[in-house]
Amino acid sequence: MKKLENLPEIADEMLKELEPDSFSWAKIVNEAAERQKPRRGFSTKRIIAFACSFAIVLFSGLTLYNNFKEDPRQIRTVAAGGKNAPQMVALSVPRGSISLSNSKPSQNIGIWASGNGGNFPLIAAEGRYYRMLTNPTAIPSEMLGRNIGSVGIFTDEPALQNANAQVISNVVPQGSEVYAVSGMDGAVVAANVDGSLRVFQRVSFSGHALVGGENLISTLGNVKPIAMRLSGVGTITDSDKISTLFATLRNADYLSASAPSKPQKLLIEFENKLVLQLYADSDSLYACGSFSCPDFFSEFAQSL
C-alpha cells in the first residue's frame, strides 16, 4: 500500500492521459469568467440619486406650466394700430390700489401709460387732450359724468386731426362713448378700452394745453385732494396743509404748452380714490403745460 503523502504523484500519474474536450473547456472558462464579473444592483445611493433627479424634473415641469398659464385676473389691452398690433398683458388694478399715505416717500412710480412710436394712448375732445393712466385699469360706471361724445376718428396720428371738431383717439375704438368723470370735468375723462372703463388725465399734446381762461387747478378737477407725494421728498396727508398747498397752485404761472419729462414726480390722490400725476423739478410742474410755482415747493418742504 502506498503512503498518503504520495497521493499527489499518484493522481498525476492516473490523470495524465485525460484532457477535457473543447466544449467542456469553454464551459469551464465561461463559468469562471461569470464568477469574476461584479454583480450590479440598485444600491441605496443609486436609489436616492434617482429619486432626487425625478423630483427636480417634476418640480421644473410644474413651475413652467404655472408660468405659462394665464393669470385669471389679467386683462388684455391692444395698442393702437389694429388687430395685428402687439398685445400687452396687465394685471387688473382696481381704483384705490395706489394709496399715497401707505407709500414710501422715496418711490418714484409713474402712472402715465406709454405708447408705441411717438404717441401715447390718448383721447382728444373739445380741444383738450387726455392721456391714459396705468392705474386704475377700471372704474365703476357710477363715477361717470356727462357724455362728451363718441369717438369719430380712430387714428395713429391724432396730431393731424382737429380735436375741436370731433372726438379723436388712438386707443379707444371708433364709435365708443367718452365721458367726463364726475367732479373732474375738463381734467379727467373715461372710455371703454377692451371691456373696461379706463381713466385719461388732462395733458398737453402737440402744442395744445390750456383752453380759454383755464389754469393749473382747472386741469386737476374739483374733487377734494387727500394726499400729495413728491418723489424723493415726502408725503403729506394733513388736510389743512394740503389746502394751503393747493392755494399756491392756483397762483402758478403758466409758462408754455410744452410738458417735458422730468425725473421727479408729484402724485395727488383725490377723495374719489383717483391719483393724478405731474412731472416736477426745482420750481416748476408739468402736465397740461409748464407752470412755475416755486412757492409750492418751499411750502411742501415746510409742511413735512
Side-chain angles (χ1 to χ4, degrees), residues 162-185:
N162 183 3
N164 291 299
Q166 54 191 321
V167 181
I168 303 162
S169 182
N170 60 0
V171 66
V172 180
Q174 187 171 5
S176 298
E177 301 296 326
V178 177
Y179 300 87
V181 170
S182 181
M184 306 184 98
D185 199 339

Side-chain angles (χ1 to χ4, degrees), residues 15-36:
L15 300 175
K16 65 181 180 179
E17 300 296 330
L18 296 177
E19 291 185 3
D21 56 25
S22 59
F23 175 78
S24 300
W25 178 257
K27 183 178 180 181
I28 293 170
V29 172
N30 288 336
E31 288 180 352
E34 287 295 325
R35 285 194 297 270
Q36 293 177 359

